[in-house]
Amino acid sequence: MYMIAEMEAMAEKIKKEHDITNKENKNEVEYKMSLKMLKIFLRRGIIDDVEYAQIDALNRESFSPYLKEVYV
């Protein structure tokens, strides 16, 4: 629950700083949540570094986060 609130607060800050739309804001939050999950999977050995990179690239395409260049 805390992670979601933290993500929403971060997204709201980004939205205010960059004047992005609600859809862009939603995509940003969803991408950040997927990134957190991927990192958990990687830490637990569910996926390896190559799979992490492949899934992350697909997520950046799917969610089209506003700051996707920053996440590369």
Side-chain angles (χ1 to χ4, degrees):
M1 192 69 143
Y2 174 74
M3 183 175 16
I4 294 172
E6 184 180 76
M7 291 292 168
E8 288 174 349
M10 185 182 344
E12 192 60 36
K13 180 181 176 191
I14 291 169
K15 181 180 177 184
K16 286 178 183 175
E17 290 175 357
H18 299 283
D19 193 33
I20 60 178
T21 67
N22 284 337
K23 174 118 175 90
E24 289 169 327
N25 189 45
K26 179 179 179 276
N27 287 346
E28 195 71 30
V29 169
E30 289 175 347
Y31 174 71
K32 289 294 285 181
M33 289 174 66
S34 74
L35 199 57
K36 288 263 187 192
M37 289 301 299
L38 275 179
K39 288 179 181 179
I40 291 168
F41 292 162
L42 184 62
R43 260 195 333 265
R44 292 186 179 176
I46 297 169
I47 61 174
D48 61 28
D49 290 332
V50 172
E51 292 168 317
Y52 176 92
Q54 291 170 338
I55 296 168
D56 183 45
L58 289 172
N59 284 343
R60 275 187 266 120
E61 287 179 29
S62 297
F63 296 119
S64 299
Y66 183 76
L67 300 174
K68 67 181 166 188
E69 294 81 20
V70 175
Y71 301 121
V72 175

